[in-house]
């Protein structure tokens, strides 16, 4: 069976063995630093007909450390003073994008920029996405994999009862500074969002019966690259857009997508030459696309590039710029996502229009990559999940999401990977093949399921309004 792969990053997951290092380990220190690092905020909340975001951008000194041998022998880490921010009922989500230019990005010396979060008591935790990335990373709160999964102490939903001050601690291998962009959503949570509690059934339908009563909207900016499609119009891919829209209109999400169109005639990106380089000057490269075509992007929309293909990446359907991506800014490495047309083709010559059936799969890919951009992980990673507890890089950190255990990777075909057909059971550990965020598509299984909690993440993204 051919598997099609949804990819979010080509860099591998990198595990930091010890948590809690990197500064801010006492409340006294934190209190002294309350005023540090604040930047001028711009509030875009004037109209209810568009997303509400507070965006800030600043340089933060890496003025602590080094912690010797942190990444291995001879590999130090430096860190910042804790950066304070607030989340709560009126600010349901804060997203951070951090960059530190350095050369330690090869597999032999991979040292990422990463984060720790601290609460006002000085307790630290890391998010599921904390160690992704080389020179840059994105992260968000509230949503994470701390002991209570979301914002810290006690029950998962309690922390949304009040505004909370949190602290961000930046870590990286170079003793200079970090560049940080920060977007805080300022669309107040509805009461049902604020007091949301997860379903707790031990079967494959867990979370699927939730219904969000208030419909939200989200703008989607479709960007056709030069060589991407026979006709560069929304109508030409309407079947895909309809599928994408239908998935997000389900009761468990209830977000209406509003599409707009941009086109490019730049031949540099007739095919994407590279999807993994961190060199923003590499001709035809994905990061060069994201960083050099900011004028095509909309800071208040989900930016989706439509490309012909990625050279040498035959089965790659699409990629997101991060989990989450960075709304509110254009021209960063995390400002967009991309889908590739040709890997979706089952019939017709390259460059011709896709069949309706292939357009439906393209719509699934858009929905999946958008899910990543908005903060969702795969239900289970490719080898299956090993556990349903704590911080776990083999499954989504949401406690509600059914997943698919490692043992299922040999259920039908013993190849070490879970296929959709191996994860269609009725329990909570042999399921999620039907979920929109399953790691791969087989082109047959209808991956339309999204849990209420997955929808809760989407609805609290700053792009939702
Ligand atoms: Zn994916």
């Amino acid at each position: 069976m051919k598997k099609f792969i949804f990819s979010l990053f080509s860099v591998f997951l990198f595990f930091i063995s010890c948590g809690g290092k990197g500064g801010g380990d006492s409340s006294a220190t934190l209190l002294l630093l309350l005023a540090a690092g604040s930047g001028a905020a711009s509030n875009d909340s004037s109209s209810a007909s568009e997303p509400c975001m507070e965006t800030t951008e600043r340089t933060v000194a890496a003025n602590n450390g080094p912690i010797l041998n942190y990444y291995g022998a001879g590999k130090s880490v430096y860190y910042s003073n804790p950066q304070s921010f607030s989340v709560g009922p009126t600010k349901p989500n804060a997203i951070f994008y951090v960059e530190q230019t350095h050369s330690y990005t090869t597999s032999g010396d991979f040292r990422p920029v990463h984060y720790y979060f601290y609460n006002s008591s000085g307790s630290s935790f890391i998010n599921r996405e904390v160690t992704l990335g080389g020179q840059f990373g994105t992260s968000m709160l509230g949503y994470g994999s701390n002991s209570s999964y979301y914002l810290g102490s006690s029950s998962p939903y309690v922390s949304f009862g009040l505004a909370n001050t949190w602290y961000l601690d930046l870590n990286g291998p170079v003793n200079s500074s970090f560049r940080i962009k920060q977007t805080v959503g300022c669309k107040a949570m509805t009461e049902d969002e604020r007091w949301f509690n997860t379903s707790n059934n031990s079967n494959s339908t867990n979370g699927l019966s939730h219904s969000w009563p208030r419909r939200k909207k989200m703008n989607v900016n479709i960007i056709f690259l030069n060589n991407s499609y026979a006709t560069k119009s929304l109508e030409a891919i309407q079947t895909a857009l309809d599928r994408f829209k239908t998935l997000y209109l389900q009761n468990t999400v209830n977000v209406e997508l509003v599409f707009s169109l941009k086109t490019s005639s730049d031949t540099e990106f007739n095919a994407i030459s590279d999807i993994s380089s961190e060199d923003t000057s590499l001709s035809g490269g994905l990061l060069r696309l994201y960083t050099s075509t900011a004028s095509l992007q909309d800071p208040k929309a989900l930016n989706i590039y439509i490309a012909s293909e990625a050279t040498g990446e035959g089965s790659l359907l699409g990629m997101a710029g991060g989990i989450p991506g960075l709304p509110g800014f254009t021209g960063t490495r995390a400002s967009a996502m991309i889908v590739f047309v040709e890997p979706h083709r089952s019939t017709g010559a390259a460059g011709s229009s896709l069949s309706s059936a292939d357009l439906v799969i393209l719509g699934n890919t858009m929905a999946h990559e958008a899910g990543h951009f908005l903060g969702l992980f795969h239900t289970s990673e490719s080898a299956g999940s090993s556990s349903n507890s704590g911080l776990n890089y083999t499954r989504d950190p949401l406690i509600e999401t059914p997943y698919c255990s490692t043992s299922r990777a040999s259920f039908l075909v013993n190849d070490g990977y879970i296929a959709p057909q191996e994860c269609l059971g009725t329990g909570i550990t042999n399921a999620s093949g039907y979920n929109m965020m399953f790691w791969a598509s087989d082109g047959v299984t209808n991956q339309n399921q999204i849990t209420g909690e997955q929808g809760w993440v989407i609805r609290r993204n700053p792009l939702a309004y």
Side-chain angles (χ1 to χ4, degrees), residues 6 368 372 378:
F6 302 118
H368 177 100
H372 282 318
H378 292 151

Side-chain angles (χ1 to χ4, degrees), residues 44-384:
D44 297 325
S45 63
S46 56
S47 170
S49 62
E50 62 177 19
C52 181
M53 304 177 188
E54 296 173 351
T55 57
T56 60
E57 183 173 2
R58 61 192 188 274
T59 298
V60 176
N63 53 358
N64 292 296
I67 299 174
L68 299 175
N69 305 320
Y70 185 81
Y71 296 103
K75 301 177 180 178
S76 299
V77 67
Y78 300 86
Y79 55 96
S80 71
N81 290 333
Q83 307 292 302
S84 67
F85 62 97
S86 293
V87 289
T90 59
K91 296 181 179 181
N93 200 340
I95 294 178
F96 306 94
Y97 170 90
V98 178
E99 264 187 313
Q100 186 184 61
T101 303
H102 62 72
S103 58
Y104 309 123
T105 58
T106 65
S107 57
D109 189 2
F110 184 70
R111 296 191 236 176
V113 172
H114 64 279
Y115 314 78
Y116 290 101
F117 288 107
Y118 290 82
N119 64 19
S120 57
S121 301
S123 299
S124 69
F125 62 95
I126 58 176
N127 265 3
R128 166 68 160 75
E129 64 272 55
V130 70
T131 55
L132 280 170
Q135 299 185 29
F136 80 108
T138 56
S139 194
M140 72 186 204
L141 200 125
Y143 171 103
S145 192
N146 59 328
S147 59
S148 54
Y149 295 93
Y150 302 123
L151 286 178
S153 60
S154 66
S155 299
Y157 54 88
V158 166
S159 295
F160 282 115
L162 298 168
N164 286 271
T165 299
W166 292 83
Y167 301 87
L168 176 70
D169 171 26
L170 310 174
N171 295 256
V174 179
N175 181 19
S176 55
S177 61
F178 301 92
R179 289 184 299 281
I180 179 170
K181 293 182 172 69
Q182 174 179 319
T183 299
V184 177
C186 42
K187 180 80 178 176
M189 300 175 83
T190 57
E191 285 299 298
D192 59 321
E193 289 170 342
R194 185 174 166 186
W195 303 109
F196 173 66
N197 205 352
T198 56
S199 299
N200 188 28
N201 303 311
S202 57
N203 59 55
S204 62
T205 63
N206 198 37
L208 298 180
S209 61
H210 190 84
S211 181
W212 294 107
R214 182 180 172 275
R215 179 160 295 176
K216 287 187 167 179
K217 289 185 177 180
M218 186 176 294
N219 298 336
V220 180
N221 180 34
I222 300 289
I223 309 165
F224 281 96
L225 293 176
N226 184 60
N227 193 42
S228 59
Y229 206 64
T231 304
K232 298 178 188 62
S233 69
L234 297 181
E235 293 74 19
I237 58 166
Q238 194 65 52
T239 301
L241 300 182
D242 286 347
R243 170 66 175 176
F244 183 10
K245 190 169 185 172
T246 298
L247 289 171
Y248 278 63
L249 271 179
Q250 295 180 91
N251 288 339
T252 52
V253 187
N254 203 10
V255 171
E256 180 179 1
L257 302 177
V258 182
F259 296 101
S260 61
L261 175 70
K262 292 250 177 46
T263 61
S264 169
S265 56
D266 185 348
T267 58
E268 178 181 344
F269 302 105
N270 280 359
I272 300 301
S273 64
D274 177 279
I275 58 168
S276 59
S277 173
E278 297 210 346
D279 179 0
T280 56
S281 66
L282 183 66
S283 180
L286 184 61
L287 289 184
R288 179 169 164 80
L289 174 68
Y290 288 171
T291 54
S292 70
T293 63
S295 62
L296 296 171
Q297 301 164 8
D298 180 347
K300 293 184 179 179
L302 184 63
N303 294 295
I304 304 181
Y305 285 93
I306 312 286
S308 173
E309 60 184 342
T311 305
E313 307 287 344
S315 64
L316 182 65
L317 298 175
M319 293 179 76
I323 305 178
L326 180 71
F329 292 89
T330 59
T332 77
R333 304 165 187 226
S335 290
M337 51 169 275
I338 192 166
V339 296
F340 301 108
V341 170
E342 293 305 325
H344 290 83
R345 180 180 304 283
S346 65
T347 181
S352 64
S353 297
L354 293 176
S355 68
S356 289
D358 292 342
L359 283 171
V360 169
I361 305 298
L362 180 65
N364 288 348
T365 301
M366 289 178 172
H368 177 100
E369 300 303 338
H372 282 318
F373 192 94
L374 299 169
L376 296 178
F377 289 88
H378 292 151
T379 56
S380 290
E381 297 303 336
S382 59

